Amino acid sequence: MRYRTINKNKDFTRAYARGKSYVHPDLVLYVSKNRVGYTRIGLTASKKVGHAVQRNRARRVMRAALAEHLPLNVGGYDIILVARGRTPYLKSTRVSKTLALLLHKAGLPDLAAQKKSRETPPEKPQSSC
């Protein structure tokens, strides 16, 4: 599952300035509406996160969490995930839970929660004999 990416610095700057931020000690999520009609994703990890190996791991774990939680047809949003210093040292399940929390705060749909609610079978009525 691939998303369209934000590549230009002006698009990142616009999302930082106009968007709403949701902060957690593990990640920061910026969400802003865009005019292109489809969702674009940006992943950033500065040199504060660590060397190239740590930055790449942080981006890889964030990308996996996005694929798990964010549906493709969200609408016209620019979504930026910013890695923090401890992000590359976290387990992927922890990053996934953090992203689910941040998406809930932002009011965006969570694909994993939708799948989980569909998988739970309804309770069967018990007959009293």
Side-chain angles (χ1 to χ4, degrees):
M1 174 182 334
R2 294 288 291 177
Y3 301 98
R4 296 185 186 189
T5 58
I6 300 174
N7 293 326
K8 297 185 179 178
N9 189 28
K10 69 177 184 176
D11 294 331
F12 277 97
T13 306
R14 183 181 300 126
Y16 292 143
R18 296 182 185 170
K20 181 95 172 87
S21 65
Y22 302 92
V23 180
H24 190 272
D26 302 337
L27 291 173
V28 180
L29 174 72
Y30 288 92
V31 178
S32 69
K33 290 288 273 183
N34 64 23
R35 295 182 180 175
V36 294
Y38 50 84
T39 301
R40 298 185 301 178
I41 302 295
L43 302 173
T44 61
S46 70
K47 287 191 176 184
K48 291 179 186 177
V49 172
H51 295 292
V53 174
Q54 284 87 18
R55 293 194 305 269
N56 290 336
R57 184 182 193 289
R59 283 191 291 266
R60 188 171 56 247
V61 170
M62 290 188 300
R63 192 177 303 116
L66 270 172
E68 182 181 345
H69 289 282
L70 190 66
L72 285 175
N73 56 357
V74 174
Y77 288 100
D78 286 341
I79 298 173
I80 298 176
L81 277 175
V82 180
R84 305 211 64 189
R86 59 198 275 187
T87 305
Y89 304 106
L90 297 174
K91 300 263 185 197
S92 61
T93 54
R94 171 80 181 260
V95 175
S96 180
K97 288 178 185 177
T98 302
L99 182 63
L101 175 73
L102 292 175
L103 287 174
H104 178 71
K105 282 184 183 179
L108 294 174
D110 186 359
L111 186 64
Q114 292 171 358
K115 284 182 182 178
K116 193 179 285 186
S117 67
R118 277 188 251 148
E119 289 175 0
T120 7
E123 294 183 19
K124 295 178 182 178
Q126 296 180 358
S127 62
S128 56
C129 294

